[in-house]
Amino acid sequence: MTPTIMRQLWSIVETTQTKTLLQLDDASLVQWLVKQTTKQASLDCQETDFLCIYIQSRLSLIRDLAHERQYS
């Protein structure tokens, strides 16, 4: 995964409403974030697979950030 794609993903996380990040179950959130990222960048199958794995490994961080934004 390129640094550009990673920045796009985290930008999406930062700009997405906390409600969306907190209400979706894990699988749905991963799919939603991948879909949003692929709208901005053309990804091949290998990049998409790596992005899914990366997002899954960061779900708790994504939800923690959303919780913090919700109460700030």
Side-chain angles (χ1 to χ4, degrees):
M1 185 164 64
T2 67
T4 302
I5 294 170
M6 195 173 291
R7 279 192 297 272
Q8 287 174 335
L9 167 66
W10 287 106
S11 175
I12 291 165
V13 170
E14 289 175 3
T15 58
T16 300
Q17 292 183 356
T18 57
K19 181 178 177 181
T20 302
L21 296 173
L22 297 174
Q23 286 185 342
L24 293 172
D25 62 71
D26 288 353
S28 298
L29 182 55
V30 170
Q31 289 178 350
W32 189 85
L33 289 169
V34 168
K35 184 178 178 182
Q36 297 305 309
T37 305
T38 56
K39 284 182 182 179
Q40 296 181 11
S42 178
L43 303 177
D44 63 28
C45 291
Q46 187 176 15
E47 290 172 320
T48 303
D49 290 344
F50 187 81
L51 183 60
C52 287
I53 293 166
Y54 178 79
I55 293 169
Q56 287 172 340
S57 72
R58 300 299 190 271
L59 281 175
S60 60
L61 174 60
I62 291 168
R63 293 191 194 280
D64 286 347
L65 291 170
H67 276 292
E68 276 197 31
R69 279 197 341 232
Q70 187 177 30
Y71 297 111
S72 294

Coordinates of all heavy atoms in Angstrom, one line a residue:
M1 N 0.9 -1.2 0.0 CA 0.0 0.0 0.0 C 0.9 1.2 0.0 O 1.8 1.3 0.8 CB -0.9 0.0 1.2 CG -1.9 1.1 1.2 SD -3.3 0.9 2.4 CE -2.4 0.9 3.9
T2 N 0.6 2.2 -0.9 CA 1.4 3.4 -1.0 C 1.1 4.4 0.1 O 0.0 4.3 0.7 CB 1.2 4.0 -2.4 OG1 -0.1 4.5 -2.4 CG2 1.4 3.1 -3.5
P3 N 2.0 5.2 0.4 CA 1.7 6.3 1.4 C 0.5 7.1 1.0 O -0.3 7.6 1.9 CB 3.0 7.1 1.5 CG 4.1 6.2 1.0 CD 3.4 5.3 0.0
T4 N 0.3 7.4 -0.3 CA -0.8 8.2 -0.7 C -2.1 7.5 -0.4 O -3.1 8.2 0.1 CB -0.7 8.4 -2.3 OG1 0.5 9.0 -2.6 CG2 -1.9 9.2 -2.8
I5 N -2.2 6.2 -0.6 CA -3.5 5.5 -0.3 C -3.7 5.5 1.2 O -4.8 5.7 1.7 CB -3.4 4.0 -0.8 CG1 -3.4 4.1 -2.4 CG2 -4.6 3.2 -0.3 CD1 -3.1 2.8 -3.0
M6 N -2.6 5.3 2.0 CA -2.7 5.3 3.4 C -3.3 6.7 3.9 O -4.1 6.8 4.8 CB -1.4 5.0 4.1 CG -1.5 4.6 5.5 SD 0.0 4.1 6.3 CE 0.2 2.5 5.4
R7 N -2.7 7.8 3.3 CA -3.2 9.1 3.7 C -4.6 9.3 3.3 O -5.4 9.9 4.1 CB -2.3 10.2 3.0 CG -1.0 10.4 3.7 CD -0.3 11.7 3.2 NE 0.0 11.6 1.8 CZ 1.2 11.1 1.4 NH1 2.1 10.7 2.2 NH2 1.4 11.1 0.1
Q8 N -5.0 8.8 2.2 CA -6.4 8.9 1.8 C -7.3 8.2 2.7 O -8.4 8.7 3.1 CB -6.6 8.4 0.3 CG -6.0 9.3 -0.7 CD -6.1 8.7 -2.1 OE1 -6.1 7.5 -2.3 NE2 -6.1 9.6 -3.1
L9 N -6.9 7.0 3.1 CA -7.8 6.2 4.1 C -7.9 7.0 5.4 O -9.1 7.1 5.9 CB -7.1 4.9 4.4 CG -7.7 4.1 5.6 CD1 -9.1 3.7 5.3 CD2 -6.8 2.9 5.9
W10 N -6.8 7.5 5.9 CA -6.9 8.2 7.2 C -7.7 9.5 7.1 O -8.4 10.0 8.0 CB -5.6 8.4 7.9 CG -5.1 7.0 8.4 CD1 -4.2 6.2 7.9 CD2 -5.7 6.3 9.5 NE1 -4.1 5.0 8.6 CE2 -5.0 5.1 9.6 CE3 -6.7 6.6 10.5 CZ2 -5.3 4.2 10.6 CZ3 -7.0 5.7 11.5 CH2 -6.3 4.5 11.5
S11 N -7.6 10.1 5.9 CA -8.4 11.3 5.7 C -9.9 11.0 5.7 O -10.7 11.8 6.2 CB -8.0 12.0 4.3 OG -8.8 13.1 4.0
I12 N -10.2 9.9 5.1 CA -11.6 9.4 5.1 C -12.1 9.2 6.5 O -13.2 9.6 6.9 CB -11.8 8.2 4.2 CG1 -11.6 8.5 2.7 CG2 -13.1 7.5 4.4 CD1 -11.4 7.4 1.8
V13 N -11.2 8.5 7.3 CA -11.6 8.2 8.7 C -11.8 9.5 9.4 O -12.8 9.7 10.2 CB -10.5 7.4 9.4 CG1 -10.7 7.3 10.9 CG2 -10.4 6.0 8.8
E14 N -11.0 10.5 9.2 CA -11.1 11.8 9.9 C -12.3 12.6 9.5 O -12.9 13.3 10.3 CB -9.8 12.6 9.7 CG -8.6 12.1 10.4 CD -7.3 12.9 10.0 OE1 -7.4 13.9 9.3 OE2 -6.3 12.5 10.5
T15 N -12.7 12.5 8.3 CA -13.9 13.3 7.8 C -15.2 12.6 7.9 O -16.2 13.2 7.6 CB -13.6 13.8 6.4 OG1 -13.4 12.6 5.5 CG2 -12.4 14.7 6.3
T16 N -15.2 11.3 8.2 CA -16.4 10.5 8.2 C -17.1 10.8 9.6 O -16.5 11.0 10.6 CB -16.2 9.0 8.1 OG1 -15.5 8.8 6.9 CG2 -17.4 8.2 8.2
Q17 N -18.4 10.9 9.5 CA -19.2 11.2 10.7 C -19.0 10.1 11.7 O -18.9 8.9 11.4 CB -20.7 11.3 10.4 CG -21.1 12.5 9.6 CD -22.6 12.5 9.4 OE1 -23.3 11.6 9.8 NE2 -23.1 13.6 8.8
T18 N -18.8 10.4 13.0 CA -18.5 9.4 14.0 C -19.6 8.4 14.1 O -19.4 7.2 14.3 CB -18.4 10.1 15.4 OG1 -19.5 10.9 15.7 CG2 -17.2 11.0 15.4
K19 N -20.9 8.8 13.8 CA -22.0 7.9 13.9 C -21.8 6.7 12.9 O -22.0 5.5 13.2 CB -23.3 8.6 13.5 CG -24.5 7.8 13.5 CD -25.7 8.7 13.1 CE -27.0 7.9 13.1 NZ -28.1 8.7 12.7
T20 N -21.3 7.0 11.7 CA -21.0 6.0 10.7 C -19.9 5.0 11.2 O -20.1 3.8 11.1 CB -20.6 6.6 9.4 OG1 -21.6 7.5 8.9 CG2 -20.3 5.6 8.3
L21 N -18.8 5.6 11.7 CA -17.7 4.7 12.2 C -18.1 3.9 13.4 O -17.5 2.8 13.5 CB -16.5 5.6 12.6 CG -15.9 6.4 11.4 CD1 -14.9 7.4 12.0 CD2 -15.3 5.6 10.3
L22 N -19.0 4.3 14.2 CA -19.3 3.6 15.4 C -20.5 2.6 15.2 O -20.6 1.6 16.0 CB -19.7 4.5 16.5 CG -18.5 5.4 17.0 CD1 -18.9 6.5 18.0 CD2 -17.3 4.6 17.5
Q23 N -21.4 2.9 14.3 CA -22.6 2.0 14.2 C -22.4 0.8 13.3 O -23.1 -0.2 13.5 CB -23.8 2.9 13.6 CG -24.3 3.8 14.7 CD -25.6 4.5 14.2 OE1 -25.8 4.6 13.0 NE2 -26.3 5.1 15.1
L24 N -21.5 0.9 12.3 CA -21.3 -0.3 11.4 C -20.5 -1.4 12.2 O -19.7 -1.1 13.0 CB -20.5 0.1 10.2 CG -21.1 1.1 9.2 CD1 -20.1 1.5 8.2 CD2 -22.3 0.5 8.6
D25 N -20.9 -2.7 11.9 CA -20.2 -3.8 12.5 C -18.8 -3.8 11.8 O -18.6 -3.1 10.8 CB -20.9 -5.1 12.3 CG -21.2 -5.5 10.9 OD1 -20.2 -5.8 10.2 OD2 -22.3 -5.4 10.4
D26 N -17.9 -4.6 12.3 CA -16.5 -4.6 11.8 C -16.4 -4.9 10.3 O -15.8 -4.2 9.6 CB -15.7 -5.7 12.5 CG -15.4 -5.3 14.0 OD1 -15.7 -4.1 14.4 OD2 -14.8 -6.1 14.7
A27 N -17.1 -6.0 9.8 CA -17.0 -6.3 8.4 C -17.6 -5.2 7.5 O -17.0 -4.9 6.5 CB -17.8 -7.6 8.1
S28 N -18.7 -4.6 7.9 CA -19.3 -3.6 7.2 C -18.5 -2.3 7.1 O -18.4 -1.6 6.1 CB -20.7 -3.2 7.7 OG -21.6 -4.3 7.6
L29 N -17.8 -2.0 8.3 CA -16.9 -0.9 8.3 C -15.7 -1.0 7.4 O -15.4 -0.1 6.7 CB -16.5 -0.6 9.7 CG -15.6 0.6 10.0 CD1 -16.2 1.9 9.4 CD2 -15.3 0.8 11.4
V30 N -15.1 -2.2 7.4 CA -14.0 -2.5 6.5 C -14.4 -2.3 5.1 O -13.8 -1.6 4.3 CB -13.4 -3.9 6.8 CG1 -12.4 -4.3 5.7 CG2 -12.8 -4.0 8.1
Q31 N -15.6 -2.9 4.7 CA -16.0 -2.8 3.3 C -16.3 -1.4 3.0 O -16.0 -0.9 1.9 CB -17.3 -3.7 3.1 CG -17.0 -5.1 3.1 CD -18.3 -5.9 3.0 OE1 -19.4 -5.4 3.1 NE2 -18.2 -7.2 2.8
W32 N -16.9 -0.6 3.9 CA -17.3 0.8 3.6 C -16.1 1.6 3.4 O -16.0 2.4 2.4 CB -18.2 1.3 4.7 CG -18.7 2.7 4.4 CD1 -19.9 2.9 3.7 CD2 -18.2 3.9 4.8 NE1 -20.1 4.3 3.6 CE2 -19.0 4.9 4.3 CE3 -17.0 4.3 5.5 CZ2 -18.8 6.3 4.4 CZ3 -16.8 5.7 5.6 CH2 -17.6 6.6 5.1
L33 N -15.1 1.4 4.3 CA -13.8 2.2 4.1 C -13.1 1.8 2.8 O -12.5 2.7 2.2 CB -12.9 2.0 5.4 CG -13.4 2.7 6.6 CD1 -12.6 2.2 7.8 CD2 -13.4 4.2 6.5
V34 N -13.0 0.6 2.5 CA -12.4 0.2 1.2 C -13.1 0.8 0.1 O -12.5 1.3 -0.9 CB -12.4 -1.4 1.1 CG1 -12.0 -1.8 -0.3 CG2 -11.4 -2.0 2.1
K35 N -14.4 0.8 0.1 CA -15.2 1.4 -1.0 C -14.9 2.9 -1.1 O -14.7 3.4 -2.2 CB -16.7 1.1 -0.8 CG -17.6 1.6 -1.9 CD -19.0 1.3 -1.6 CE -20.0 1.8 -2.7 NZ -21.4 1.5 -2.4
Q36 N -14.9 3.6 0.0 CA -14.6 5.0 0.0 C -13.2 5.3 -0.5 O -13.0 6.2 -1.3 CB -14.8 5.6 1.4 CG -16.2 5.5 1.9 CD -17.3 6.1 1.0 OE1 -17.1 7.2 0.6 NE2 -18.3 5.3 0.7
T37 N -12.3 4.5 -0.2 CA -10.9 4.7 -0.6 C -10.8 4.4 -2.1 O -10.1 5.1 -2.8 CB -9.9 3.8 0.2 OG1 -10.1 4.0 1.6 CG2 -8.5 4.0 -0.2
T38 N -11.4 3.3 -2.6 CA -11.3 3.0 -4.0 C -12.0 4.0 -4.9 O -11.8 4.1 -6.1 CB -11.8 1.6 -4.3 OG1 -13.2 1.5 -3.9 CG2 -10.9 0.5 -3.7
K39 N -12.9 4.8 -4.3 CA -13.5 5.9 -5.1 C -12.5 7.0 -5.4 O -12.6 7.7 -6.4 CB -14.7 6.6 -4.3 CG -15.9 5.8 -4.3 CD -17.0 6.6 -3.5 CE -18.3 5.8 -3.4 NZ -19.3 6.6 -2.6
Q40 N -11.5 7.1 -4.5 CA -10.5 8.2 -4.7 C -9.2 7.7 -5.4 O -8.5 8.4 -6.0 CB -10.1 8.8 -3.3 CG -11.3 9.5 -2.6 CD -10.9 10.1 -1.3 OE1 -9.7 10.1 -1.0 NE2 -11.8 10.5 -0.6
A41 N -9.0 6.4 -5.3 CA -7.8 5.8 -5.9 C -8.1 4.5 -6.6 O -8.8 3.7 -6.0 CB -6.7 5.6 -4.8
S42 N -7.5 4.3 -7.7 CA -7.6 3.0 -8.4 C -6.7 2.0 -7.8 O -5.5 2.2 -7.8 CB -7.3 3.2 -9.9 OG -7.4 2.0 -10.6
L43 N -7.3 0.9 -7.2 CA -6.5 -0.1 -6.5 C -6.6 -1.4 -7.3 O -7.7 -1.8 -7.8 CB -7.0 -0.3 -5.1 CG -7.0 0.9 -4.2 CD1 -7.6 0.5 -2.8 CD2 -5.6 1.5 -4.0
D44 N -5.5 -2.2 -7.4 CA -5.6 -3.5 -7.9 C -6.0 -4.5 -6.8 O -6.2 -4.1 -5.7 CB -4.3 -3.9 -8.6 CG -3.1 -4.0 -7.6 OD1 -3.3 -4.3 -6.4 OD2 -2.0 -3.8 -8.1
C45 N -6.2 -5.7 -7.2 CA -6.7 -6.7 -6.2 C -5.8 -6.9 -5.0 O -6.2 -7.0 -3.9 CB -6.9 -8.1 -6.9 SG -8.3 -8.1 -8.1
Q46 N -4.5 -6.9 -5.3 CA -3.5 -7.1 -4.2 C -3.6 -5.9 -3.2 O -3.6 -6.1 -2.0 CB -2.1 -7.2 -4.8 CG -1.1 -7.6 -3.8 CD 0.3 -7.8 -4.4 OE1 0.5 -7.5 -5.5 NE2 1.2 -8.5 -3.6
E47 N -3.7 -4.7 -3.8 CA -3.7 -3.5 -2.9 C -5.0 -3.5 -2.1 O -5.0 -3.1 -0.9 CB -3.6 -2.2 -3.8 CG -2.3 -2.0 -4.3 CD -2.2 -0.8 -5.3 OE1 -3.2 -0.7 -6.1 OE2 -1.3 0.0 -5.3
T48 N -6.1 -3.9 -2.7 CA -7.4 -4.0 -2.0 C -7.3 -5.0 -0.9 O -7.8 -4.7 0.2 CB -8.5 -4.3 -3.0 OG1 -8.6 -3.3 -4.1 CG2 -9.9 -4.3 -2.3
D49 N -6.8 -6.1 -1.1 CA -6.6 -7.1 -0.1 C -5.8 -6.6 1.1 O -6.1 -6.8 2.2 CB -6.0 -8.4 -0.7 CG -6.9 -9.2 -1.6 OD1 -8.1 -8.9 -1.6 OD2 -6.4 -10.1 -2.3
F50 N -4.7 -6.0 0.7 CA -3.8 -5.4 1.8 C -4.5 -4.3 2.6 O -4.4 -4.3 3.8 CB -2.5 -4.9 1.2 CG -1.5 -4.5 2.2 CD1 -0.7 -5.4 2.9 CD2 -1.4 -3.1 2.6 CE1 0.2 -5.0 3.8 CE2 -0.5 -2.8 3.6 CZ 0.3 -3.7 4.2
L51 N -5.3 -3.5 1.9 CA -6.0 -2.5 2.5 C -7.1 -3.0 3.5 O -7.2 -2.6 4.6 CB -6.7 -1.6 1.5 CG -7.5 -0.4 2.0 CD1 -6.6 0.6 2.8 CD2 -8.2 0.4 0.8
C52 N -7.7 -4.1 3.1 CA -8.7 -4.8 4.0 C -8.0 -5.3 5.3 O -8.5 -5.1 6.4 CB -9.4 -6.0 3.3 SG -10.6 -5.5 2.1
I53 N -6.9 -5.9 5.1 CA -6.1 -6.4 6.2 C -5.6 -5.3 7.1 O -5.7 -5.4 8.4 CB -4.9 -7.3 5.8 CG1 -5.4 -8.5 5.1 CG2 -4.0 -7.6 6.9 CD1 -4.4 -9.3 4.3
Y54 N -5.2 -4.2 6.5 CA -4.7 -3.1 7.3 C -5.8 -2.5 8.1 O -5.7 -2.2 9.3 CB -4.1 -2.0 6.3 CG -3.6 -0.8 7.0 CD1 -2.4 -0.8 7.7 CD2 -4.4 0.4 7.0 CE1 -1.9 0.4 8.4 CE2 -3.9 1.5 7.7 CZ -2.7 1.5 8.3 OH -2.3 2.6 9.0
I55 N -7.0 -2.3 7.4 CA -8.1 -1.7 8.1 C -8.6 -2.6 9.3 O -8.8 -2.1 10.4 CB -9.3 -1.4 7.2 CG1 -8.9 -0.3 6.2 CG2 -10.5 -1.0 7.9 CD1 -9.9 -0.1 5.0
Q56 N -8.6 -3.9 9.0 CA -9.0 -4.8 10.1 C -8.1 -4.7 11.3 O -8.5 -4.8 12.5 CB -9.1 -6.2 9.6 CG -10.2 -6.5 8.7 CD -10.1 -7.9 8.0 OE1 -9.1 -8.5 7.9 NE2 -11.3 -8.3 7.5
S57 N -6.8 -4.5 11.0 CA -5.9 -4.4 12.1 C -5.9 -3.1 12.9 O -5.4 -3.0 14.0 CB -4.4 -4.7 11.6 OG -4.0 -3.6 10.9
R58 N -6.6 -2.1 12.3 CA -6.7 -0.8 12.9 C -8.1 -0.4 13.3 O -8.4 0.7 13.7 CB -6.2 0.3 11.9 CG -4.8 0.2 11.4 CD -3.8 0.2 12.6 NE -2.4 0.4 12.1 CZ -1.6 -0.7 11.9 NH1 -2.1 -1.9 12.0 NH2 -0.4 -0.5 11.5
L59 N -9.0 -1.4 13.3 CA -10.4 -1.1 13.7 C -10.6 -0.5 15.1 O -11.3 0.5 15.3 CB -11.3 -2.3 13.5 CG -11.7 -2.7 12.1 CD1 -12.5 -4.0 12.1 CD2 -12.5 -1.6 11.5
S60 N -9.8 -1.0 16.0 CA -10.0 -0.5 17.4 C -9.5 1.0 17.4 O -10.1 1.8 18.1 CB -9.3 -1.4 18.4 OG -7.9 -1.4 18.1
L61 N -8.4 1.3 16.7 CA -7.9 2.6 16.7 C -8.9 3.5 16.0 O -9.2 4.7 16.5 CB -6.6 2.7 15.9 CG -6.0 4.1 15.7 CD1 -5.7 4.8 17.0 CD2 -4.7 4.0 14.8
I62 N -9.5 3.1 14.9 CA -10.5 3.9 14.2 C -11.7 4.2 15.1 O -12.1 5.3 15.2 CB -10.9 3.2 12.9 CG1 -9.8 3.1 11.9 CG2 -12.2 3.8 12.3 CD1 -10.0 2.2 10.7
R63 N -12.1 3.2 15.8 CA -13.3 3.4 16.7 C -12.9 4.3 17.9 O -13.7 5.1 18.3 CB -13.8 2.1 17.2 CG -14.5 1.3 16.0 CD -15.3 0.1 16.5 NE -15.6 -0.8 15.5 CZ -16.6 -0.7 14.6 NH1 -17.3 0.4 14.6 NH2 -16.8 -1.6 13.7
D64 N -11.7 4.1 18.4 CA -11.2 5.0 19.5 C -11.2 6.4 19.1 O -11.6 7.4 19.8 CB -9.8 4.6 20.0 CG -9.9 3.3 20.8 OD1 -11.0 2.9 21.2 OD2 -8.8 2.7 21.1
L65 N -10.7 6.7 17.9 CA -10.6 8.1 17.4 C -12.0 8.6 17.2 O -12.3 9.8 17.5 CB -9.9 8.1 16.0 CG -8.4 7.8 16.1 CD1 -7.8 7.7 14.6 CD2 -7.7 9.0 16.8
A66 N -13.0 7.8 16.7 CA -14.3 8.2 16.6 C -15.0 8.6 17.9 O -15.7 9.6 18.1 CB -15.2 7.2 15.8
H67 N -14.7 7.7 18.9 CA -15.2 8.0 20.3 C -14.7 9.3 20.8 O -15.4 10.1 21.4 CB -14.8 6.9 21.2 CG -15.7 5.7 21.2 ND1 -17.0 5.8 21.7 CD2 -15.5 4.4 20.8 CE1 -17.6 4.6 21.5 NE2 -16.7 3.7 21.0
E68 N -13.4 9.6 20.6 CA -12.8 10.8 21.1 C -13.4 12.0 20.4 O -13.7 13.0 21.1 CB -11.3 10.8 20.9 CG -10.5 10.1 22.0 CD -9.0 10.5 21.9 OE1 -8.7 11.6 21.5 OE2 -8.3 9.6 22.3
R69 N -13.6 11.9 19.1 CA -14.3 13.0 18.4 C -15.7 13.3 18.9 O -16.1 14.4 18.9 CB -14.3 12.7 16.9 CG -13.0 13.0 16.2 CD -13.1 13.2 14.7 NE -14.2 12.6 14.1 CZ -14.2 11.7 13.1 NH1 -13.0 11.4 12.5 NH2 -15.3 11.3 12.5
Q70 N -16.3 12.2 19.2 CA -17.7 12.3 19.6 C -17.9 13.1 20.9 O -18.8 13.8 21.1 CB -18.3 10.9 19.8 CG -19.8 10.8 20.1 CD -20.3 9.4 20.2 OE1 -19.5 8.5 20.6 NE2 -21.5 9.2 19.8
Y71 N -16.9 12.9 21.8 CA -17.0 13.6 23.1 C -16.1 14.9 23.2 O -16.0 15.4 24.3 CB -16.6 12.6 24.2 CG -17.5 11.4 24.3 CD1 -17.1 10.2 23.9 CD2 -18.9 11.6 24.6 CE1 -18.0 9.1 23.9 CE2 -19.8 10.6 24.7 CZ -19.3 9.3 24.3 OH -20.2 8.3 24.3
S72 N -15.5 15.3 22.1 CA -14.7 16.5 22.1 C -15.5 17.7 21.8 O -16.5 17.7 21.2 CB -13.6 16.4 21.1 OG -12.7 15.4 21.4

